[in-house]
Amino acid sequence: MESGSGLDPSNKSKGSGNGGEGKFGAFLKRVEPFLPRKDLNPLELRSWAKKTGFVSDYTGETSSTSTGDKLGESSSSGYDLPKGRGDDGQTDQVSSRQTDREPILGRSRRSDIGSDSSRSKPGSIVEERGSNRNEDRNADETPLENEGGGKRSRDLENGCYYPGGGEDGGGWAKPIVMKYGLRDNPPTFVPLIYYGLQHYLSLAGSLVFIPLVIVPAMDGSDKDTAAVISTMLLLTGITTILHCYFGTRLPLVQGSSFAYLAPALVVINSEEFRNLTDHKFREIMRELQGAIIVGSLFQCILGSTGLMSLLLRFINPVVVAPTVAAVGLAFFSYGFPQAGTCVEISVPVIVLLLICTLYLRGVSIFGHRIFRIYAVPLSALIVWTYALFLTVGGAYDYKGCNADIPSSNILINECKKHAYTMKHCRTDASNAWTTSPWVRIPYPFQWGFPNFNMRTCIIMIFVSLVASVDSVGTYYATSMLVNAKRPTRGVVSRGVALEGFCSLLAGIWGSGTGSTTLTENIHTINITKVASRKALAIGAIFLIFFSFVGKLGAILASIPQALAASVLCFIWALTVALGLSNLRYTQTASFRNITIVGVSLFLGLSIPAYFQQYQPLSTLILPSYYLSFGAASSGPFQTGIMQLDFAMNAVMSLNMVVTFLLAFVLDNTVPGSKEERGVYVWSRAEDMEMDSAMQADYSLPRRVAQFFGCRCC
C-alpha cells in the first residue's frame, strides 16, 4: 500500500463489535506509517480536483463561493501567485486554483487533464497540505542556485520553464527570474551604464542597418548614409526615453521599424524616381518624410481618441502572430540575393550568428551570456575584420582597377565586371570616413521641407496600423516576461499614441522610416534578464551623445553591404519566429487557428506576388532584389485615378498589410472560444486604481498625470 493513505486509525472506535475491532486492529498493523510523498505530480492534483467537483470548469473557478471572495484581486490576474497563506481550507482552495491555471500565462492547460498518469495516487493532495506549503511560502526567498541543482538553475536563467517542487518534476512552473525588474536599479552607477548599453548593443543590427539598405537604394552618398545613421541613433535615444516615462513605461526600445522598410522601398523604386538623377536622395527622403508624418498623425489619433481601445477587442494572438511574421518574410527576396553578392563574407556571418545563438547560448563568461547577448555585434565585428584582411591582402585587387567605386572605373571596360564585387566586398569602398565631419548634430528638416502626396500617405496610414498591431503583441509579451501585471487598455492606447508622436519626430528629422517598438527587444530582455527602466534611459542618453559624433556614423556606414544584408537575414528570421511565438497564448493545435494562420501567411505572400508580376519594364531597370518592391507603378489595380491606383497597388503588394487584413477578418468572423483564440486579457482600470504596484509600473509621473488631470492614466 502506498504511503499517504487516507485511513484514519481513530475510526476504529466506530467498528461494530469486538470482532470487527480485532480484525481492523490486525489490519492496522500492516498499514505503513504516513510519509509525505516525494513523487508528487501536479497533474494528479488537477485530476483529483476534477473528480471531486472542487473545480467546476476549465477556467480555474471553484465551486465554492468563498474561493472568489478569498482570492480577491488575485482572480483578475491569472498569472499572479496568491500572496496570502491562511488556514488549511484557504490553502486547499488556492492550491486547487493553481492546479488548473498556468501561473505565468494565466490560461488553462486542458491537454493533460484526465490523462492516465493523473488517475492514480489519490493521496497526493496530502503533500500539498504538508511540506509543499512550506516550500511555496519560501519560494521567493530561495536563491536560484538552490532550486533543483545547477543544470536547472542555468536553464531557468536561459528562460526555460521548469516545474519547481523537486528533482522529479513536482511543484509548479516558476517565472523567469529577472536580475532587475521595472523599478529595480543596480546598487552603483557603473552597472547601470553597462546594463543600459547592453540593450542597445544587442539590438545593433536593428538600429543601424536599415540606412545601409535604404540610402544606397536612393542613390545617396556614403556621407548621406552616415548622416542617416546618426539621425536614427538620436531618434532612438529620444523616443526610448519618451516611451519609458510617458508611454506604456515598459522597458522597450523605440527605433526604426522593419514594418516601415518595405513601404519605403516601394516608394523608392516607384517609376517617378527611377530616372531621377539630380538630388534623387533628397527628393525621395522628402517624399518619405511627408508620408510618415501623415501616417504618424493617424496613429496619434488612433491612440489618443480611444479608438485603439475599441480595436483591441479584435486584435488577438491569431492576428498578431502572422502579421509580425509577414514583416520578416517580406524581405526574403532581398536577404540572401543581396548577401550573396559576396558569399565569402555573408556565409561566415550567418554561420557565426547561428553558432553564437544556438550552440554557444549556454556558455557563460564571468557570469554573462555574451554569445547570446552580443551575437550580432560580435559576429559582425569578427567577419568585418576578416573582410579587412581580405581587402588588405589583395583579394579584391584587379589589374588596372581602383578601389574608388565607381567613379574611377566608369570608363574602364576591364573593371566593369569587377566593380560590383569590389563595391560589396571591400572594406575601403566607402568614403564616409573622409567626407563626414567629427561633430554633426542632426536637426529637423535637414533634407528640406517634406512633400505630401496622397498616394504615399495612404500607404503609410495602412503601415502605421500594422505597426500598432505589432506593438500590441510586444506590450503583452513584455508585461508577461517581466512578471508585471498586464497593462490596461488605456495604457496600451497611450503607448500607441506616443509611438505615433515618435514617428512624427522621425518624419520631421528625416530618418527614412517611422519609429515603433522593436519586437526583437523581447528576445533581448529574455536573455539579459534586465528590465530596468532607468538602465534603458541611461543607455538612451549615451545613444544621443553618440549621434553627435559624425565619425561614428561614418564607421558604421562603411560596413560592406553584403555583411549588412547577411546580418539582416538573421534578424528578419528572428522577427518571423518572435511573431509566431505569440501563438503560445492560443490553442496551437486548434484546426481553426492553424487554418487562419496558414491561409493568412500563404495568401499574404502569394497575393502580393500576383501584384508584383505586372511590371514588364521593371525587370530591365531594377536589380532582382528590388523587383518585389516595384509593383506600385504598374499593378493590376487600374481605375484611371493615378494616385489611387498607385496607393492600392502598393498596399496590396505589401505582405504584412495583406496578411493582417486576412487574419483580422478571419479571426473575428470564424467562431471560436476565447480560450481557443487566446484572447488578450488586459487589466481593468479599477484594478490599477486599487493596486499601488500597477500604478508604479504603468502610471504617468505624478506631475504629468496632474497636468492631464488623470489619476491612473
Side-chain angles (χ1 to χ4, degrees):
M1 183 175 178
E2 292 181 358
S3 62
S5 173
L7 291 175
D8 189 357
S10 63
N11 291 334
K12 64 182 180 180
S13 62
K14 298 180 181 180
S16 58
N18 297 331
E21 292 179 2
K23 292 180 181 179
F24 187 68
F27 173 74
L28 283 177
K29 294 179 181 180
R30 298 193 300 269
V31 176
E32 298 178 6
F34 173 79
L35 293 174
R37 288 183 49 195
K38 300 299 184 182
D39 56 345
L40 177 64
N41 188 341
L43 300 181
E44 298 173 11
L45 301 182
R46 182 160 58 250
S47 176
W48 177 88
K50 291 295 180 186
K51 290 178 180 178
T52 57
F54 190 80
V55 180
S56 59
D57 55 18
Y58 291 111
T59 62
E61 298 176 356
T62 64
S63 59
S64 174
T65 56
S66 62
T67 304
D69 297 335
K70 291 183 178 182
L71 289 178
E73 291 302 318
S74 178
S75 302
S76 64
S77 180
Y79 58 89
D80 283 338
L81 296 177
K83 299 178 181 178
R85 297 282 178 175
D87 54 13
D88 291 341
Q90 183 175 353
T91 306
D92 293 344
Q93 291 171 352
V94 172
S95 300
S96 65
R97 177 179 176 83
Q98 286 178 327
T99 57
D100 213 57
R101 276 188 178 264
E102 286 187 34
I104 308 303
L105 302 182
R107 68 175 189 269
S108 301
R109 298 187 295 182
R110 303 176 56 177
S111 58
D112 296 323
I113 297 176
S115 61
D116 294 338
S117 63
S118 62
R119 293 173 181 162
S120 61
K121 304 178 182 179
S124 58
I125 192 65
V126 178
E127 188 197 356
E128 177 67 18
R129 298 181 179 179
S131 60
N132 204 35
R133 190 185 343 170
N134 296 328
E135 294 175 6
D136 288 343
R137 184 182 294 114
N138 299 324
D140 296 335
E141 300 173 2
T142 304
L144 183 63
E145 292 78 5
N146 297 330
E147 293 178 0
K151 180 181 183 300
R152 181 165 301 182
S153 301
R154 290 192 299 270
D155 289 340
L156 276 172
E157 289 178 358
N158 288 335
C160 300
Y161 292 89
Y162 261 105
E167 287 298 330
D168 42 4
W172 305 115
K174 293 183 180 296
I176 295 178
V177 180
M178 286 285 156
K179 292 180 181 177
Y180 297 101
L182 279 174
R183 290 168 283 137
D184 298 335
N185 296 315
T188 60
F189 196 70
V190 174
L192 195 65
I193 298 175
Y194 168 74
Y195 288 126
L197 293 177
Q198 180 177 250
H199 267 278
Y200 300 97
L201 285 175
S202 62
L203 295 171
S206 303
L207 294 177
V208 302
F209 281 5
I210 289 181
L212 298 177
V213 176
I214 62 174
V215 176
M218 292 188 285
D219 285 350
S221 63
D222 298 324
K223 181 180 179 181
D224 295 330
T225 304
V228 174
I229 290 176
S230 297
T231 303
M232 284 191 172
L233 293 178
L234 173 66
L235 291 171
T236 299
I238 294 175
T239 55
T240 300
I241 293 175
L242 289 176
H243 188 83
C244 284
Y245 291 99
F246 307 107
T248 63
R249 307 201 70 188
L250 289 169
L252 295 171
V253 175
Q254 304 291 304
S256 296
S257 173
F258 292 120
Y260 288 89
L261 179 57
L265 290 175
V266 168
V267 174
I268 291 170
N269 292 286
S270 62
E271 191 173 332
E272 178 183 353
F273 298 114
R274 289 176 189 172
N275 299 322
L276 190 64
T277 55
D278 295 335
H279 307 292
K280 181 178 180 178
F281 168 76
R282 289 182 175 270
E283 289 296 325
I284 297 177
M285 183 62 80
R286 291 165 60 192
E287 184 85 9
L288 290 175
Q289 285 182 258
I292 292 171
I293 289 174
V294 173
S296 64
L297 291 176
F298 170 80
Q299 197 172 10
C300 287
I301 295 173
L302 190 67
S304 59
T305 59
L307 292 176
M308 193 64 202
S309 296
L310 299 177
L311 189 61
L312 285 177
R313 302 179 185 273
F314 307 100
I315 298 177
N316 299 310
V318 180
V319 177
V320 173
T323 301
V324 178
V327 172
L329 291 174
F331 303 102
F332 74 93
S333 62
Y334 178 91
F336 201 80
Q338 177 76 319
T341 56
C342 190
V343 292
E344 58 267 34
I345 291 179
S346 59
V347 172
V349 171
I350 296 175
V351 171
L352 269 178
L353 284 169
L354 294 177
I355 290 175
C356 290
T357 54
L358 297 179
Y359 297 100
L360 299 179
R361 70 184 190 275
V363 177
S364 177
I365 299 179
F366 300 111
H368 299 283
R369 313 279 185 181
I370 63 171
F371 294 107
R372 293 185 66 194
I373 299 174
Y374 308 117
V376 170
L378 271 179
S379 302
L381 183 60
I382 292 173
V383 178
W384 197 2
T385 305
Y386 163 69
L388 176 62
F389 281 108
L390 290 179
T391 302
V392 175
Y396 307 113
D397 290 340
Y398 302 100
K399 186 177 180 180
C401 301
N402 193 289
D404 188 10
I405 307 295
S407 59
S408 64
N409 300 320
I410 194 168
L411 299 177
I412 305 176
N413 293 329
E414 293 80 5
C415 293
K416 287 183 179 180
K417 59 181 180 180
H418 301 303
Y420 197 72
T421 301
M422 296 173 70
K423 180 179 180 180
H424 288 79
C425 298
R426 293 186 68 97
T427 57
D428 58 354
S430 173
N431 60 1
W433 178 263
T434 58
T435 57
S436 299
W438 276 100
V439 177
R440 184 186 184 276
I441 300 178
Y443 54 92
F445 306 118
Q446 55 188 330
W447 316 116
F449 193 77
N451 294 329
F452 296 93
N453 269 317
M454 184 185 74
R455 58 177 192 173
T456 53
C457 292
I458 293 176
I459 297 173
M460 288 303 174
I461 287 175
F462 278 94
V463 174
S464 64
L465 181 60
V466 173
S468 301
V469 173
D470 184 356
S471 298
V472 168
T474 306
Y475 295 161
Y476 192 88
T478 306
S479 66
M480 304 292 279
L481 182 62
V482 302
N483 303 322
K485 291 188 178 181
R486 291 158 292 192
T488 63
R489 297 180 188 274
V491 171
V492 175
S493 299
R494 188 180 74 205
V496 171
L498 186 70
E499 284 192 13
F501 179 74
C502 294
S503 290
L504 177 64
L505 296 181
I508 292 175
W509 258 264
S511 64
T513 60
S515 177
T516 187
T517 300
L518 297 182
T519 307
E520 307 90 299
N521 200 194
I522 302 176
H523 179 63
T524 303
I525 296 175
N526 187 24
I527 296 174
T528 61
K529 304 296 183 294
V530 175
S532 171
R533 277 196 297 251
K534 189 172 183 181
L536 211 65
I538 293 296
I541 293 174
F542 276 89
L543 219 61
I544 294 174
F545 171 77
F546 292 148
S547 68
F548 300 152
V549 183
K551 293 297 183 182
L552 178 61
I555 293 174
L556 297 174
S558 62
I559 296 176
Q561 293 185 15
L563 190 152
S566 51
V567 171
L568 288 174
C569 284
F570 175 80
I571 295 176
W572 289 328
L574 182 62
T575 302
V576 175
L578 290 172
L580 294 177
S581 69
N582 283 276
L583 293 175
R584 69 187 183 273
Y585 303 117
T586 71
Q587 290 184 352
T588 52
S590 166
F591 180 76
R592 172 193 181 275
N593 296 343
I594 292 174
T595 303
I596 292 176
V597 173
V599 169
S600 301
L601 275 178
F602 179 80
L603 293 182
L605 295 176
S606 188
I607 291 177
Y610 167 76
F611 277 78
Q612 292 162 8
Q613 68 181 347
Y614 287 88
Q615 39 185 335
L617 299 178
S618 300
T619 56
L620 304 176
I621 302 173
L622 298 176
S624 60
Y625 44 81
Y626 286 142
L627 288 178
S628 59
F629 304 105
S633 300
S634 53
F637 193 92
Q638 299 293 335
T639 63
I641 305 176
M642 295 182 60
Q643 297 278 346
L644 181 62
D645 292 344
F646 181 93
M648 295 309 300
N649 285 319
V651 167
M652 296 305 295
S653 67
L654 295 175
N655 306 87
M656 56 186 178
V657 174
V658 177
T659 301
F660 164 70
L661 294 176
L662 289 170
F664 183 85
V665 172
L666 290 175
D667 184 54
N668 289 283
T669 55
V670 178
S673 65
K674 290 185 177 180
E675 183 184 32
E676 182 182 18
R677 298 170 63 192
V679 174
Y680 287 137
V681 180
W682 306 102
S683 297
R684 299 174 301 175
E686 296 81 4
D687 299 335
M688 189 168 173
E689 291 180 358
M690 299 175 61
D691 192 337
S692 59
M694 281 192 68
Q695 293 184 27
D697 287 340
Y698 295 115
S699 293
L700 291 173
R702 184 176 57 183
R703 293 183 180 179
V704 178
Q706 291 176 350
F707 177 79
F708 286 102
C710 56
R711 294 176 58 190
C712 297
C713 62

